Amino acid sequence: MMGSYLFTYLTIGLLFVTSLLPVLHTVVSQRKDYFDPINWSGLLLFVIVGVPALRRVISQDYRFYGEFTQQAPSHVIIQMVVAATILALLCLYAGYYLSAGKKIARRLPRYSTSWSSEKAWSVIIIFLFVGYIGYFLLSGMISTGPRSQLADGFSKYAFIAVNLLNTASILAVSDLLMGIKYDNYKFEMRKYTKIIYVSLIVLSNAALLLNLGGRGRAFSIFIISIFLVHYLVKNTSIYGPALAFSLLYIISSWVAEIMGNLLSFNIAGAVDTILSPYLFRDTPRIQFNQLFIVFSSVPDELSFQYGQTFLSAMFALFPFQPVPQTQTVYNRAFAPSAGTDYGVPITLIGELYLNFWIPGIIVGFFICGILIRVFYEWCIGLSRNIGGIILFSAVTNNLLLIGNFSNSAPTLGLKLLPLLVAILYISGGLLESSEASDTGSYYA
């Protein structure tokens, strides 16, 4: 038994080393960009898999939330989860560092390098107006049931409108930083007046989104701002992305819960939350809890889904779902008492395993690596312009690795679509790939 636990420790240690490989590559490379999303991916998966696995083994605490029959000893299942994470990371790196991503990015048209502050603010005002309408349509439903119902059925369209508040905040901050960089305030506002306006927009939108239960959406603008400052105003050292990473993936939920209690004047709840960091709790919403259950019970208790949950993302705009989402499939099998609306993030690793077993993890993460490289090269590596930087900042804040694809991808897509259209209008169009300047890539 002692040898098996030692093997578990060694597996977790190997995951830690694997998670650091992209960072080490960046350190020794000539052109450094610590905001490169591949640097975040490994550390992110170590935080949500390696840290709770290590804590479980050290404390010998193998209590997991779910209605399931454990098919193997706990330490063996933990080894399976950690080993699958290592495999996923290696496939992700292989896809990312392959030259295919850069070649694909070269063929894509890119945004124009121009930026119109007047157009930006006209879009911001429209998005704020539509977003406020969506908020008031949803506000009456907040106390009538679980918050997840706000994104279901016909209320989904009002929920889409509310997401425009976040998009308006991103555009407002971007326009402010463009003015700081180029000192070009063509729009008829004084410099400090614009700062006040942008601050009011960002803070009020964050408060409204927080009231709807969207802690991630509410606080994402502050993380996105770190990216925008880095690429638009001043390149930061490694401490900038380290701070952003900590805010995003280590203490984001903890800080958001503290702020939520303070805004509702629940001082006792805020104190309890401060004394209980989110990363070190055991709750049904912790990703490692779901990963353990999936690897323990699929396919013995729950059959492979063979892509059904991924197909559900294609029906995000419809008030019905012809195929089940990941959280619905999971809850029916392992949390029937919680109801199908209860959100359970099993991560992309868990969702690929749930659908296609180990081959799904290998192929899925290899494709993810290529796609992340394409996006990074298109936005940052080949030619930095305001449109690409804004998109990159918005997406990197929400890498689709820790949530369920069937739930996270539509949310990200519905945020990106209006942002794509808005930037296209503000920047004046696209440049053909042959016309776009190629300033070189961080990777050959």
Side-chain angles (χ1 to χ4, degrees), residues 162-179:
V162 166
N163 281 326
L164 292 179
L165 295 177
N166 198 11
T167 307
S169 295
I170 295 172
L171 292 174
V173 172
S174 301
D175 183 71
L176 176 64
L177 293 177
M178 286 290 286

Side-chain angles (χ1 to χ4, degrees), residues 274-316:
I274 292 172
L275 298 177
S276 178
Y278 191 79
L279 184 64
F280 299 101
R281 294 189 214 164
D282 286 325
T283 74
R285 301 187 69 87
I286 297 295
Q287 292 92 341
F288 188 75
N289 184 84
Q290 276 68 258
L291 279 173
F292 183 94
I293 293 174
V294 168
F295 275 77
S296 172
S297 307
V298 175
D300 296 306
E301 289 189 55
L302 177 62
S303 301
F304 293 121
Q305 298 302 300
Y306 300 109
Q308 284 192 85
T309 65
F310 289 95
L311 289 176
S312 68
M314 308 301 174
F315 299 91

Side-chain angles (χ1 to χ4, degrees), residues 182-239:
Y182 297 109
D183 196 24
N184 182 18
Y185 290 90
K186 294 180 179 179
F187 193 66
E188 293 181 1
M189 287 185 182
R190 295 187 56 135
K191 179 177 181 180
Y192 296 107
T193 303
K194 180 178 279 191
I195 293 175
I196 293 173
Y197 284 169
V198 172
S199 300
L200 289 175
I201 289 172
V202 169
L203 294 176
S204 61
N205 287 349
L208 293 178
L209 291 170
L210 183 63
N211 190 45
L212 289 178
R215 291 183 299 187
R217 289 184 299 275
F219 290 94
S220 66
I221 182 59
F222 303 108
I223 313 301
I224 292 172
S225 298
I226 297 176
F227 284 81
L228 293 172
V229 169
H230 171 72
Y231 286 114
L232 292 178
V233 181
K234 179 179 174 58
N235 288 346
T236 60
S237 65
I238 191 174
Y239 301 107

